[in-house]
Amino acid sequence: MALSATRCLSLKLEKACILCCVSLLDKLLVVGSTGLVGSKIASLAHGYEFETYNTHNSRPSPFPNSTKLDITDRDATMTLLAKIRPYAIINVAALTNVDYCETHKEEAERVNVGGATSLADAARQNNSRFVHVSTDSVFDGTYGHYTEDDMPNPINHYSKTKLDSETVVAQLLSYAIARPSVVYGWHARVGRTPSGSTKAMNFAMFVLDRLGKSEPVRVVRDQYSSPTFADNLAHSLLRLARLTENGIFHTAGRSCLSRYEFALLLAKIFGYPPDLVQPVSTGEFDQAAQRPKNCCLRVEKAEKALKMHFLTAQEGLIEMKKQARSKPNDR
Ligand SMILES: NC(=O)c1ccc[n+]([C@@H]2O[C@H](COP(=O)([O-])OP(=O)(O)OC[C@H]3O[C@@H](n4cnc5c(N)ncnc54)[C@H](OP(=O)(O)O)[C@@H]3O)[C@@H](O)[C@H]2O)c1
C-alpha cells in the first residue's frame, strides 16, 4: 500500500516519511466528481486531510486534479489507479436515471457493474480502501425501515445492477458499501449528460424550480424514502474512507416521508404556497421502471460507527435554505 501519512505519523517516523512520501496527506480518489454527491465529496475532502484526486466523464470537472475516466474502459481505469495509488477510492460514478437503466440494460450493467468491478480490482491491486455507493432501492419496498441485515430484492434493473456491484465490492479486503436514499441538495452541474443517463436535477431542485415559477407540481403520495442531504452524505462517505471496519452502512436521512410529504416540506421551508404541490399515485405516471413503495432506511449502525448524526428532512432542508442565502450563485 502507498505509505499513509497517518501510519507514518503514528510510527513517529516523520523525518523518514517526508523522504519517502510524495505528500504527507493520504491520497483519495473521487470517481464521479461531476455528479451531485461527487461534487460535495470533492469540496469537503480537504477537511479530512486527504490529497484529493478526481475523475469526470462526459462533463468537465470544476475541481483541480481531475482526470477524464470512463469506468467502462478497464485498461484506462487500471492505469489511472496504478498511477495514483490512492489510500482510498470513493466511487459515486453510475448511471443513475432509473428509467434510462430499464431501457438500456446492457449499458447500465457495463457502467454500474462492469465499472465497479474494474475499480474494485484496481483497489485490490493497489491495496486501496474502496467506498462504494449503492442505493436504498436494493430492497423491494414491501415494508420499509430496513436495516443492513434485511434481505435485498430489487424490482428494477438499476437496483439489480447496484446489488450486483455490492456483491463484487464485498469480496475486497477493505471496503464499505453505503446506501443512501433519494439524495437532494444544490448542484451546480445540472446539465444533462448527452445520453440522458443521469437526471438533469435532483428531486428537491426540480420541485423548487417549479414552485419558484409558481407552477404546480404533481408528486407521488405512495412512495416512501429517507431523503438524504447530499452534504451530510458526503461527510459520511469521507468518514467511511477513514474507517477500518468493513460492511454495508445505511447512510440516509433520518425521516421516512412520501415524496408528496417531502415536497410539502420543501414548499413550507422555502416559503411557497403548499397548494401548488399536488398528490398523485404512482399509477398515474407512465414510467419504464417499477418503483419500490417504501425504502425507508434505519441509520443507527452508521451513526454509531461514524460517530455522526444523519439529518432529518427538516434539518437538511433548513441547511439547504441557509446555503441558498449564503451562496446564491453557487448552485
Ligand atoms: N441521487 C439519488 O437520489 C441517489 C439515491 C440512492 C443512491 N444513489 C447513488 O449515489 C451515487 C451518486 O449519485 P449522484 O446522484 O451523485 O449521481 P449523478 O449526479 O447522476 O452523477 C453520476 C456520476 O457518474 C459519472 N459517470 C456516469 N457514467 C460514467 C462512466 N461510464 N464512467 C465514469 N463516470 C461515469 C458521471 O460523470 P459525468 O457527469 O462526467 O458523465 C457523474 O459524475 C450513485 O452510485 C447512485 O447510484 C443516488
Side-chain angles (χ1 to χ4, degrees), residues 117-324:
T117 304
S118 298
L119 286 167
D121 289 343
R124 185 182 291 110
Q125 219 164 70
N126 296 288
N127 290 326
S128 307
R129 178 161 176 79
F130 194 47
V131 178
H132 179 67
V133 181
S134 183
T135 174
D136 58 336
S137 69
V138 293
F139 296 112
D140 60 20
T142 319
Y143 53 92
H145 301 283
Y146 294 105
T147 72
E148 291 81 353
D149 295 328
D150 286 313
M151 190 61 78
N153 182 32
I155 61 169
N156 58 47
H157 192 67
Y158 162 76
S159 312
K160 184 183 172 305
T161 62
K162 299 300 285 185
L163 182 60
D164 289 349
S165 69
E166 287 190 7
T167 307
V168 171
V169 173
Q171 289 162 21
L172 292 173
L173 278 180
S174 178
Y175 75 93
I177 292 164
R179 290 181 183 149
S181 190
V182 176
V183 184
Y184 65 94
W186 299 123
H187 182 207
R189 313 208 63 73
V190 291
R192 255 183 208 282
T193 49
S195 64
S197 56
T198 58
K199 295 236 171 180
M201 284 185 202
N202 61 76
F203 178 73
M205 283 184 76
F206 165 74
V207 170
L208 289 175
D209 183 58
R210 296 292 284 267
L211 298 180
K213 295 174 187 157
S214 300
E215 290 174 6
V217 57
R218 297 165 75 229
V219 186
V220 289
R221 58 164 179 254
D222 53 357
Q223 284 175 34
Y224 287 77
S225 58
S226 302
T228 307
F229 187 45
D231 306 56
N232 199 208
L233 171 61
H235 281 293
S236 71
L237 297 173
L238 286 158
R239 283 172 187 243
L240 283 172
R242 285 285 182 207
L243 197 72
T244 50
E245 189 183 334
N246 287 345
I248 296 173
F249 298 87
H250 287 178
T251 51
R254 282 200 135 263
S255 308
C256 179
L257 298 175
S258 71
R259 292 269 182 148
Y260 172 63
E261 290 165 334
F262 184 49
L264 276 183
L265 195 58
L266 268 158
K268 183 177 158 206
I269 287 174
F270 282 82
Y272 294 111
D275 54 357
L276 284 175
V277 182
Q278 299 171 357
V280 291
S281 63
T282 301
E284 290 176 60
F285 283 112
D286 185 21
Q287 292 172 312
Q290 206 186 336
R291 303 299 205 273
K293 291 278 183 220
N294 186 337
C295 274
C296 293
L297 299 177
R298 300 197 56 160
V299 295
E300 287 83 354
K301 175 186 167 184
E303 284 195 329
K304 195 168 165 211
L306 301 176
K307 299 185 176 57
M308 65 175 281
H309 168 69
F310 284 98
L311 302 179
T312 62
Q314 169 133 346
E315 289 168 339
L317 289 177
I318 289 172
E319 199 50 47
M320 191 176 169
K321 191 175 177 198
K322 271 191 217 154
Q323 290 179 351

Side-chain angles (χ1 to χ4, degrees), residues 100-126:
Y100 182 91
C101 289
E102 201 67 21
T103 52
H104 297 76
K105 290 190 172 157
E106 278 180 24
E107 186 185 347
E109 242 148 79
R110 266 202 314 278
V111 179
N112 294 358
V113 190
T117 304
S118 298
L119 286 167
D121 289 343
R124 185 182 291 110
Q125 219 164 70
N126 296 288

Side-chain angles (χ1 to χ4, degrees), residues 32-38 56-59 69-72 91-96 111 133-136 158 162 180-183 187 193 198-199:
S33 71
T34 44
L36 168 63
V37 183
H56 58 277
N57 183 35
S58 64
R59 295 176 282 183
L69 176 71
D70 178 346
I71 56 171
T72 64
N91 177 31
V92 277
L95 293 192
T96 55
V111 179
V133 181
S134 183
T135 174
D136 58 336
Y158 162 76
K162 299 300 285 185
S181 190
V182 176
V183 184
H187 182 207
T193 49
T198 58
K199 295 236 171 180

